[in-house]
Amino acid sequence: MQGLYSVLLWVIPALTYLLGGVLFIKGLGDLTIGTLVAFVAMQTTLFPQLNTLLRVATQVRASLALFTRVFEYLDLDIPIKEAANARTFPGGRARGHISFEGVTFTYPSARKATIEDVSFEVPCGAHIALVGSTGSGKTTLGYLLSRLYDVSEGRIRIDGIDVRELKLDALAGAVGVVTQETYLLHASIAENLRFVMPEASEADMIAACEIAQIHAHIESLPNGYDTVVGERGYRFSGGEKQRLAIARTILRDPPILVLDEATSALDTVTERAMGGALRSLSEGRTTISIAHRLSTVRDADQILVVKSGRICERGTYDELLAAGGEFSRLATGERRS
Ligand SMILES: Nc1ncnc2c1ncn2[C@@H]1O[C@H](COP(=O)(O)OP(=O)(O)OP(=O)(O)O)[C@@H](O)[C@H]1O
Ligand SMILES: [Mg+2]
C-alpha cells in the first residue's frame, strides 16, 4: 500500500504539468505558467514529507504487531511459582546432598509418564552418572532437579529441603546446568560470561576460561574477550560453545552440577580437552553427569541406568558390567559401533 502511495507522489507532479499544460494551451481558466510552476514546486517540497509520514505510519503498525507478541509472552502464566514461605539454604549456600524420592513426572502435553517412580540419593560431593538409551528420560531428570518442571508425584530434596519450598534464586544458585545445547547472546564473549556473575573480575573470568580450556582460543581471536558472538557474530563450534558454557558455570560456582553431555561426536583432541575441563569443574561438587559415551562414566561413584523413565540398574562401572544386564548390553553395543 505504501509503495502505491510513493508511486502516486512521484506521478502527481507530472500529471499536474500535463493537465496545467493542456489548460494553458487551450486558454481555459486564468492559469499562468508561474502559478503552475509554483504549484508543482510546492508539491515537490511537500510530498517527501508526506512520504516520510506514511512510512512512520507503516512502522507504527509493524511495531504494534510486535508489541502484541511481546505482551502475549509477558502475559503467559508461569507454572513454576515460588512458595509464599519459600526459604533459602541455611548459611546461604547448599552443601549439595540430593535425594529423589518416588518421583513420577508427566510432561503437560504428554499422555503417559516420562519418569516413573525414580528414587536415588547423591551424597555431598559424590559423582553419579545417568546413562540409558535416547529418550529414556535422563535430561528430564536434570530439568526436575533444577525445577524447570514440578514433579507430578514424589519429591526432590536438596540438603533435606523440598525444591518446591526453596526460593527460586537459592535453587538457581545451587544447581548449575551445562546443557546439550548452549545458547550464546549476541554480545561480546566477556558479556556472555559475565551475565551470570556481573561482579566477577577480569582475572576471575580468565581463570575460569583457563580451567575450561578455552582461554587460549579466545586469546587467539582478533578482539579477544571483546569478540562479538551469537547469531550475527563469531560462531564457535559445538565443542567450543560447550567449553564456554563450562567457563560460565565455573564463574558461577554452584555446589551442584548437572552435565548433560552433547550427543554430537567430538574429535579426540576436543574430547580430551572437554574431559579435562569437566573433571576440574566437578571437583568438590555434587555432580550428576548424563553421559552418552560409557567410557566417560568409568570414574563415577555410582551409575544409574535409565530405561523408559525408570531406573533399571545401579552400581559402579565394574559391578554393572559383571551383572550382564542393560548396562553391559549398552557397553557391548558401543564397542561394536
Ligand atoms: N517438553 C516435552 N513435552 C513432552 N514430551 C517431552 C518433552 N521433552 C521431552 N519429552 C519426551 O520425554 C522423553 C524423555 O526425554 P529426555 O530428553 O529426558 O530424554 P534423554 O534420555 O535425555 O534423551 P537423549 O539421550 O536423546 O538426550 C522423550 O520421549 C521425549 O520425547
Ligand atoms: Mg538428553
Side-chain angles (χ1 to χ4, degrees):
M1 199 64 196
Q2 207 225 327
L4 190 68
Y5 282 133
S6 303
V7 172
L8 273 180
L9 295 183
W10 282 109
V11 170
I12 285 172
L15 287 178
T16 314
Y17 272 131
L18 185 68
L19 190 68
V22 170
L23 288 176
F24 183 74
I25 291 166
K26 297 237 159 154
L28 299 170
D30 299 331
L31 195 68
T32 63
I33 291 185
T35 314
L36 186 62
V37 171
F39 188 61
V40 172
M42 190 193 65
Q43 279 182 344
T44 45
T45 45
L46 206 65
F47 283 179
Q49 317 303 331
L50 211 62
N51 204 10
T52 315
L53 214 61
L54 283 172
R55 244 201 316 264
V56 170
T58 318
Q59 275 169 0
V60 167
R61 227 170 302 136
S63 313
L64 278 182
L66 214 66
F67 272 122
T68 318
R69 290 200 56 191
V70 170
F71 284 117
E72 266 170 23
Y73 275 108
L74 291 179
D75 289 343
L76 277 182
D77 187 36
I78 301 168
I80 304 294
K81 292 199 174 75
E82 193 170 271
N85 53 351
R87 3 185 334 203
T88 54
F89 293 102
R93 187 176 163 87
R95 283 177 295 118
H97 181 276
I98 301 167
S99 62
F100 274 62
E101 298 165 20
V103 171
T104 295
F105 171 69
T106 312
Y107 275 106
S109 57
R111 273 207 220 113
K112 65 185 261 298
T114 303
I115 301 295
E116 280 187 85
D117 194 23
V118 166
S119 299
F120 64 89
E121 206 157 315
V122 194
C124 295
H127 174 196
I128 72 144
L130 298 175
V131 299
S133 51
T134 173
S136 53
K138 305 175 299 292
T139 299
T140 307
L141 286 171
Y143 286 164
L144 292 175
L145 176 65
S146 40
R147 212 185 157 206
L148 293 185
Y149 294 95
D150 270 337
V151 298
S152 312
E153 278 169 50
R155 62 179 172 180
I156 299 170
R157 295 200 288 177
I158 298 177
D159 293 355
I161 309 172
D162 192 316
V163 288
R164 286 166 296 189
E165 289 168 16
L166 280 168
K167 280 199 189 299
L168 294 177
D169 275 359
L171 181 63
V175 184
V177 184
V178 179
T179 57
Q180 284 176 310
E181 290 147 34
T182 307
Y183 294 100
L184 292 177
L185 307 172
H186 181 62
S188 72
I189 297 176
E191 283 167 311
N192 265 287
L193 291 169
R194 275 228 185 94
F195 88 95
V196 295
M197 199 69 170
E199 61 272 27
S201 69
E202 175 105 16
D204 291 342
M205 190 172 74
I206 292 176
C209 287
E210 270 171 353
I211 300 175
Q213 317 211 358
I214 187 76
H215 174 68
H217 181 70
I218 297 175
E219 283 284 272
S220 73
L221 299 176
N223 291 326
Y225 281 83
D226 294 323
T227 307
V228 173
V229 292
E231 248 171 61
R232 278 159 292 151
Y234 180 84
R235 284 180 188 261
F236 281 106
S237 75
E240 287 158 2
K241 260 203 258 182
Q242 215 166 20
R243 271 179 283 163
L244 267 186
I246 291 172
R248 192 143 76 180
T249 313
I250 294 173
L251 262 186
R252 209 153 67 88
D253 190 28
I256 298 169
L257 196 65
V258 178
L259 299 170
D260 206 342
E261 186 182 82
T263 24
S264 53
L266 300 171
D267 62 76
T268 39
V269 178
T270 315
E271 190 175 330
R272 219 170 296 140
M274 283 285 290
L278 290 176
R279 257 191 303 283
S280 8
L281 181 56
S282 56
E283 247 164 54
R285 293 172 219 274
T286 307
T287 308
I288 297 183
S289 57
I290 299 169
H292 292 97
R293 276 152 305 165
L294 303 185
S295 52
T296 56
V297 301
R298 221 175 265 266
D299 304 331
D301 299 317
Q302 175 154 245
I303 298 168
L304 307 177
V305 185
V306 187
K307 191 178 182 187
S308 312
R310 290 176 178 274
I311 292 176
C312 64
E313 280 173 46
R314 58 183 87 196
T316 61
Y317 190 88
D318 295 330
E319 282 167 9
L320 287 175
L321 267 193
E326 178 75 12
F327 184 81
S328 77
R329 258 199 304 282
L330 286 172
T332 321
E334 189 167 283
R335 247 177 268 132
R336 281 215 198 97
S337 62

